[in-house]
Amino acid sequence: MIAALALTSALAGCNMAPKYERPTGAIPVALPEGGVYPRAATDAPDVTQIGWRDFFLDTRLRQVIESALTNNRDLRIAAGNVLQARAQYRVQRSAIVPSTGLNGSATYTNNLFGAIGAAGGGATGGAGAGTGTGIGTGTGTGTGGAGTGGTGGGGGAAAGGAVGESSSNIQFYSANVGFSAFELDLFGRIRNQNRAALEQYFATEEAQRSARISLIAEVASAWLTLASDQEQLRLSRETLKTFEETVRLTTAQFRIGVASELESRQAETNYQAARNDIAALTAQVARDQNALNLLVGTTVPAEQLPAGLDGTAVTRDALPGNVSSEVLLRRPDVLQAEHQLIAQSANIGAARAAFFPRISLTATIGTISSALSGLFGAGTFNYNAAPSLALPLFDGGRNAGNLDYAKASQQVAVATYERSIQTAFREVADALAQRGTIGEQVAAQGARANAASVAARLSDARYRAGVDSFLTSLDAQRTAYSAQQQLVTTRLTQANNLIELYRSLGGGLAGDPPRSTD
């Protein structure tokens, strides 16, 4: 047995899996710069090394994210998948060592040939006599004389000993320890299956990490969306008061004949539009809270909810500096695809090894005796070693089909890996493109909203003074309201852009515990 294991170790370098080489050329070497893309700051920190607790500045948002990482059900499913893959890997890994067991047996028979068969069967299973001088004492009646060989002689002597005592019953006891059908992995079939299971385990770990990053980004985005809609609701309520005052004024003027009914109805149109916005936004805020609660996995306390989006920084404003596209190779979803590719390469090695002989070994050591009290006495030791070889000759094309399937699966895995990198590159490029202009958009919308508010006040004053028509004042009010709404929307876009840039670059994992390969 020791010699066989030594031979296995000596041939351990025989691996038929193709040498893994990471696919290249799927994306440009550097992230886009120039034109619409912002110039990267040379002193900007590495986004991937900024933990989410440092990236998000609002204490309430950090508390909500912390709760989501604890209670989100999708994240629990991802964690369960990791545990399943790790258990499956351990099951597969167990095939590289013999599975050793202990067994004992007792045989009772009144048939001499059954006794001899039991002795022989015991030898095959690891409980047979070793030589012709085994259990029997030579005092038999002649039926159990000398055997024709080593194991047979042992069985005959044992039977002779039992019958020689003029007993109608023959009995045997045995105790054995050993292993059965342990495959000597000469061509790497089991090692490649083990490698494939390990890489699948790593892939599920990366999937969990990817789910974690996505959850952090989704929770932050949902929290900011709620803040934006709360801000829109506040704006609509303030505007409703302004429109209500205008309606009251024009209605009073119409009653005394100073204004026409047309002006009164035009003022009411703006007022009813603001009422509709309030009703719609009230429902939307409730839906936003429901969406946030679903992501978090529990009801978010009221004190952790935002009151509005007033332009206060919620995240760190950090751009990556001098980052090559290789940073995308560290994204969990890309690493997941790469581990799956490596697993498919290992499957090719296992499929190739199936064409070669399989050598298995069954071996036991133990004792056998015709009396339970003498089971561990002198002369009862026996051993059994039964190597076997299986060479496929004709299998109807099964092995060839398995090999073709493994190669095709590897090609699919290569394309999947390259697509993952290309998707990651596009996400980062899109976030950078928006980042390059979003600051200008916020500044322009802020100036527009301020100018529209001033114009609305001046127009109202000129209307009251009789300089401008009421239609001019009404249009100025609508423009100011729309500009304020657009400013809130643009601020939300700016905040979400920073979160998306942080997510797409793989941020959010700093400080995570290292992977375990147990």
Side-chain angles (χ1 to χ4, degrees):
M1 180 177 69
I2 297 176
L5 294 177
L7 177 61
T8 302
S9 300
L11 296 177
C14 184
N15 191 342
M16 297 187 176
K19 182 180 179 181
Y20 173 72
E21 294 183 1
R22 176 182 290 169
T24 58
I27 56 173
V29 176
L31 294 173
E33 285 187 330
V36 69
Y37 301 100
R39 182 182 299 276
T42 57
D43 59 346
D46 185 355
V47 175
T48 61
Q49 299 303 313
I50 300 176
W52 64 266
R53 293 179 182 84
D54 297 323
F55 180 74
F56 295 101
L57 305 178
D58 192 286
T59 302
R60 296 167 300 173
L61 178 55
R62 287 201 295 262
Q63 292 173 342
V64 173
I65 293 175
E66 187 75 47
S67 181
L69 293 176
T70 302
N71 299 302
N72 180 265
R73 298 314 190 263
D74 289 335
L75 206 58
R76 290 184 182 180
I77 292 173
N81 290 337
V82 172
L83 295 178
Q84 288 178 337
R86 184 169 63 181
Q88 189 63 39
Y89 163 62
R90 286 176 173 173
V91 171
Q92 181 60 49
R93 186 177 61 177
S94 66
I96 65 176
V97 294
S99 180
T100 306
L102 173 66
N103 67 81
S105 66
T107 301
Y108 303 91
T109 181
N110 63 349
N111 185 293
L112 175 61
F113 297 102
I116 298 175
T124 304
T131 67
T133 59
I135 303 168
T137 61
T139 60
T141 61
T143 308
T148 57
T151 303
V163 177
E165 297 174 357
S166 300
S167 172
S168 60
N169 293 322
I170 304 173
Q171 55 190 20
F172 293 99
Y173 301 92
S174 66
N176 309 281
V177 62
F179 54 86
S180 177
F182 169 60
E183 181 177 343
L184 305 181
D185 193 25
L186 303 182
F187 301 100
R189 188 183 72 88
I190 295 177
R191 280 180 286 116
N192 279 305
Q193 290 178 340
N194 184 52
R195 178 63 184 275
L198 177 63
E199 294 299 332
Q200 289 294 347
Y201 164 45
F202 288 161
T204 55
E205 275 201 332
E206 296 301 342
Q208 181 192 24
R209 290 156 61 88
S210 180
R212 186 176 185 271
I213 291 179
S214 297
L215 177 63
I216 291 172
E218 288 175 8
V219 169
S221 180
W223 192 88
L224 288 170
T225 299
L226 175 60
S228 174
D229 289 338
Q230 290 275 34
E231 186 71 18
Q232 295 279 19
L233 181 59
R234 182 193 63 79
L235 177 62
S236 295
R237 286 171 175 166
E238 291 179 354
T239 304
L240 181 67
K241 294 178 181 179
T242 301
F243 288 166
E244 185 178 16
E245 176 63 21
T246 302
V247 170
R248 186 192 63 78
L249 176 63
T250 55
T251 300
Q253 290 177 337
F254 168 65
R255 288 174 179 173
I256 63 177
V258 177
S260 66
E261 183 179 3
L262 175 62
E263 293 174 343
S264 176
R265 295 302 183 185
Q266 287 174 331
E268 186 178 1
T269 299
N270 279 3
Y271 172 77
Q272 297 300 339
R275 278 188 61 199
N276 177 76
D277 289 346
I278 291 174
L281 286 168
T282 301
Q284 185 59 48
V285 166
R287 290 195 295 269
D288 292 341
Q289 291 181 2
N290 293 336
L292 184 60
N293 289 339
L294 177 61
L295 286 172
V296 175
T298 185
T299 302
V300 180
E303 61 271 15
Q304 296 179 4
L305 297 176
L309 191 66
D310 55 3
T312 303
V314 177
T315 65
R316 291 180 60 173
D317 186 2
L319 279 176
N322 300 324
V323 177
S324 71
S325 60
E326 289 188 359
V327 71
L328 303 179
L329 301 180
R330 302 200 301 266
R331 274 186 32 157
D333 56 335
V334 175
L335 290 175
Q336 177 188 0
E338 184 172 16
H339 285 304
Q340 290 172 337
L341 172 56
I342 298 173
Q344 294 301 335
S345 297
N347 285 335
I348 291 178
R352 286 174 176 171
F355 287 89
F356 292 84
R358 294 188 188 181
I359 300 177
S360 301
L361 180 64
T362 296
T364 59
I365 58 174
T367 65
I368 185 170
S369 175
S370 60
L372 183 59
S373 60
L375 187 59
F376 296 99
T380 62
F381 172 78
N382 74 96
Y383 67 88
N384 167 39
S388 65
L389 182 145
L391 176 64
L393 296 179
F394 177 74
D395 60 4
R398 180 187 300 128
N399 287 339
N402 287 336
L403 179 57
D404 290 342
Y405 178 81
K407 290 181 177 179
S409 298
Q410 185 200 38
Q411 293 176 2
V412 172
V414 170
T416 302
Y417 174 72
E418 292 176 341
R419 183 185 63 184
S420 298
I421 297 179
Q422 291 173 349
T423 300
F425 185 87
R426 181 199 169 178
E427 289 175 352
V428 174
D430 286 350
L432 288 174
Q434 188 174 56
R435 180 62 181 157
T437 60
I438 191 64
E440 184 70 16
Q441 293 179 45
V442 171
Q445 284 295 339
R448 176 174 177 262
N450 181 66
S453 297
V454 173
R457 290 197 301 270
L458 294 175
S459 179
D460 181 68
R462 289 170 63 87
Y463 164 69
R464 294 174 185 272
V467 178
D468 283 344
S469 67
F470 177 70
L471 183 60
T472 301
S473 174
L474 201 64
D475 183 65
Q477 289 180 351
R478 284 196 296 261
T479 301
Y481 179 39
S482 175
Q484 291 289 345
Q485 289 177 313
Q486 189 61 41
L487 176 60
V488 174
T489 301
T490 307
R491 284 174 176 170
L492 175 63
T493 302
Q494 183 183 38
N496 279 332
N497 173 250
L498 282 171
I499 294 173
E500 173 59 19
L501 185 59
Y502 180 67
R503 182 203 68 80
S504 61
L505 285 171
L509 294 178
D512 275 7
R515 175 195 293 130
S516 171
T517 58
D518 291 342

